[in-house]
Amino acid sequence: MDVYEQMADFYDLVYSDKYDLQFYLNEAKKANGPVLEVACGTGRIYLELLGQGLPITGVDLSQKMLGQLVKKAKNLALKPDVFRGDMRSFSIGKKFKLIFLPYRSFLHMLNDDERMLALANFRNHLMDGGKLILHTYNPSKFELELTKGMHHLETEQLKAPDGSRYSLDWYLDYDDKAKIARYRIELRLENGEKYSYEMQLSYVGQKKMKKMFKECGFKEIKEYCGFDYGLVDANCKELIWVATK
Ligand SMILES: C[S@@+](CC[C@H](N)C(=O)[O-])C[C@H]1O[C@@H](n2cnc3c(N)ncnc32)[C@H](O)[C@@H]1O
């Protein structure tokens, strides 16, 4: 079963921070037109933008993740416009001023064929002059050396919105040949329940990303370091790509 189908009930405990929200909120306001979040998940960003009255559609591969989004929307008295689809192949008779993918979701595309299909599909769903925003990353030297098996990265002790305590243990196994990072997340709830999830993210170098955007016909390809539009240098970890149709 897809890892997000397995973790949908607890996704919001694992990925709870919103350090990127203001960035997407500003970009969606600037777009001044219809917005699409691809891989919208349980609505971490999607519901905030919808709550601000922005015209936003969402697509995600996981029905269970979308189920959580719809449940949360109901509690907030919001009416979401979301549908199930694969980023490589979804097709809706609508074009957008802005398409964005937060939280490195594009890196679930594990090879060039998948990446090119997805980029071409995003471009097909953009209006002329519309923008695509993707979040990718550069692994640190430390991470690149965590090969040949799972390595423990950190333990987080956290508090859920209902006040209960839980912990997260993060593990990483980096495959330098395939350029794939395999993560294991172990969740322990206060009531003793334990869950373990594994997922893979590809690592795509900056030169390759730029080349793929160009080959798919994007223009004005810009890269920033982090969500404050910083300059990209050799130490930049979180990369934000903005490309125009
Ligand atoms: C890290 S979560 C991000 C969710 C949400 N955007 C957020 O910021 O919290 C990645 C999401 O990508 C979705 N996903 C993975 N592969 C996908 C695909 N091929 N097409 C569409 N969505 C996909 C998963 O179901 C999951 O909801």
Side-chain angles (χ1 to χ4, degrees), residues 2 4 11 15 20 37-45 59-62 65 85-88 102-103 105 108-109:
D2 175 80
Y4 289 102
Y11 177 88
Y15 296 101
D20 49 354
E37 180 180 348
V38 174
C40 59
T42 62
R44 189 182 64 92
I45 302 291
V59 56
D60 197 281
L61 187 61
S62 162
M65 293 288 277
D86 188 311
M87 65 175 89
R88 291 160 287 190
Y103 249 167
S105 301
H108 287 306
M109 302 291 96

Side-chain angles (χ1 to χ4, degrees), residues 7 12 17 33 59 97 102 105 111 171 181 190 196 221 239 245:
M7 80 189 296
D12 291 353
D17 58 49
V59 56
K97 285 291 278 286
S105 301
N111 59 53
Y171 296 81
E190 196 173 86
S196 179
I221 302 149
L239 288 159
K245 177 170 175 180

Side-chain angles (χ1 to χ4, degrees), residues 126 147 150 240:
L126 279 174
T147 59
M150 283 290 173
I240 310 304

Side-chain angles (χ1 to χ4, degrees), residues 148-161:
K148 299 188 176 71
M150 283 290 173
H151 301 262
H152 186 246
L153 288 176
E154 61 169 331
T155 302
E156 289 180 273
Q157 303 289 348
L158 299 158
K159 203 168 164 188

Side-chain angles (χ1 to χ4, degrees), residues 98-139:
L98 170 67
I99 295 180
F100 67 95
L101 287 84
Y103 249 167
R104 305 176 180 176
S105 301
F106 179 67
L107 300 181
H108 287 306
M109 302 291 96
L110 297 180
N111 59 53
D112 286 352
D113 289 348
E114 293 187 348
R115 290 177 200 117
M116 291 298 280
L117 279 175
L119 287 177
N121 198 27
F122 302 152
R123 193 171 180 277
N124 282 341
H125 285 86
L126 279 174
M127 294 176 184
D128 288 340
K131 273 202 240 173
L132 170 66
I133 302 184
L134 296 183
H135 174 188
T136 69
Y137 80 119
N138 286 329

Side-chain angles (χ1 to χ4, degrees), residues 199-239:
M199 66 174 70
Q200 299 186 346
L201 280 189
S202 65
Y203 160 56
V204 191
Q206 288 162 240
K207 268 193 195 152
K208 186 182 244 187
M209 276 300 300
K210 227 180 238 172
K211 189 164 168 265
M212 286 191 303
F213 277 122
K214 277 192 192 150
E215 281 176 10
C216 281
F218 284 98
K219 303 176 294 194
E220 295 167 40
I221 302 149
K222 294 179 189 151
E223 54 187 314
Y224 299 103
C225 186
F227 295 97
D228 296 321
Y229 305 93
L231 278 181
V232 176
D233 62 18
N235 299 318
C236 179
K237 175 131 194 182
E238 306 299 331
L239 288 159

